[in-house]
Amino acid sequence: MATGTETARAGAGRRALPLLLLLFAGSGFAALIYEMVWYQMLQLAIGSQTVCLAFLLATFMGGLAIGSVGLPKVLARGRWHALKVYATVEAGTGAMALLVLATMPLAVRVFFAASSAGLPGMLMRGLLSGLLLLPPTILMGASLPALTRWIEATPEGVAWWGLLYGGNIAGAVVGCLVAAFWILRLFDMALATYVAAAVNFAVAGAAWLLAQ
């Protein structure tokens, strides 16, 4: 039979689930802003929309897959608080996105100076650009496994896993619309990155406080 303390903790956990849904929607919101920004960055680096889109999708999907598969294996080696791991992943995503914003312009100049003309040079620039984007996309892929570890695998918990994923998709749709029709239209890639990073840091701070 559950003790009064365990019952109170379970009730507090259930009350926190709507907040987690909001936080994970913020993760999706920031992720799609980054994708829109990085698409424009890769266009400058590669010079071809088709090749740019191919490398972006390959990097984004590959990074998400690596993060979602790799994080549970890393966490299995020790006892980590799931919400603190999630907060760390979100803060790391924001930090890596700011690093990409700072280093990509320099990398573009180096790519054009060092690579050859034609398709081989274009592919080499795309490969190197994709490697720069891989670390933050891996962290994005690790966010859902980190968060779902906090929710027990009960029928109710599994239903919340689905809700969290749906909230993430909804946040991604809003982020895509905001980036395409407002931030990138009226401002620039730097401001869009700052907005997305601020969302990541806010989500990380809220998750860390919730873990307490």
Side-chain angles (χ1 to χ4, degrees), residues 15-24 206 210:
R15 288 193 297 271
L17 289 175
L19 177 58
L20 293 182
L21 180 61
L22 179 62
L23 295 181
F24 206 49
L210 188 61

Side-chain angles (χ1 to χ4, degrees), residues 79-97:
R79 298 179 63 86
W80 307 89
H81 194 295
L83 289 182
K84 291 184 177 180
V85 172
Y86 175 65
T88 303
V89 166
E90 286 296 310
T93 302
M96 292 302 303

Side-chain angles (χ1 to χ4, degrees):
M1 181 178 294
T3 65
T5 301
E6 290 173 341
T7 302
R9 288 177 178 173
R14 285 192 292 269
R15 288 193 297 271
L17 289 175
L19 177 58
L20 293 182
L21 180 61
L22 179 62
L23 295 181
F24 206 49
S27 298
F29 176 85
L32 261 292
I33 291 180
Y34 291 139
E35 187 171 7
M36 298 288 290
V37 170
W38 293 341
Y39 177 68
Q40 293 195 2
M41 286 184 174
L42 287 178
Q43 281 186 302
L44 296 176
I46 298 173
S48 169
Q49 290 186 351
T50 303
V51 177
C52 164
L53 185 59
F55 274 103
L56 178 63
L57 291 178
T59 303
F60 215 82
M61 296 298 105
L64 293 179
I66 293 171
S68 63
V69 173
L71 182 71
K73 295 182 179 180
V74 173
L75 296 181
R77 302 172 186 172
R79 298 179 63 86
W80 307 89
H81 194 295
L83 289 182
K84 291 184 177 180
V85 172
Y86 175 65
T88 303
V89 166
E90 286 296 310
T93 302
M96 292 302 303
L98 293 176
L99 183 62
V100 168
L101 177 67
T103 57
M104 184 66 82
L106 176 62
V108 168
R109 290 194 291 269
V110 174
F111 295 162
F112 274 106
S115 62
S116 59
L119 183 61
M122 187 183 302
L123 295 177
M124 180 60 65
R125 292 194 298 272
L127 178 61
L128 295 177
S129 300
L131 291 177
L132 284 177
L133 301 181
L134 197 57
T137 56
I138 290 176
L139 291 176
M140 290 179 193
S143 60
L144 181 61
L147 191 56
T148 54
R149 286 181 69 252
W150 193 70
I151 305 172
E152 294 182 1
T154 61
E156 181 184 3
V158 172
W160 269 101
W161 292 358
L163 285 175
L164 289 173
Y165 189 70
N168 185 260
I169 293 176
V173 172
V174 175
C176 183
L177 294 175
V178 168
F181 294 102
W182 180 43
I183 303 178
L184 292 176
R185 182 183 178 189
L186 300 179
F187 302 100
D188 54 18
M189 293 183 289
L191 181 62
T193 302
Y194 296 149
V195 169
V199 172
N200 283 136
F201 295 140
V203 168
W208 192 274
L209 290 176
L210 188 61
Q212 308 305 317

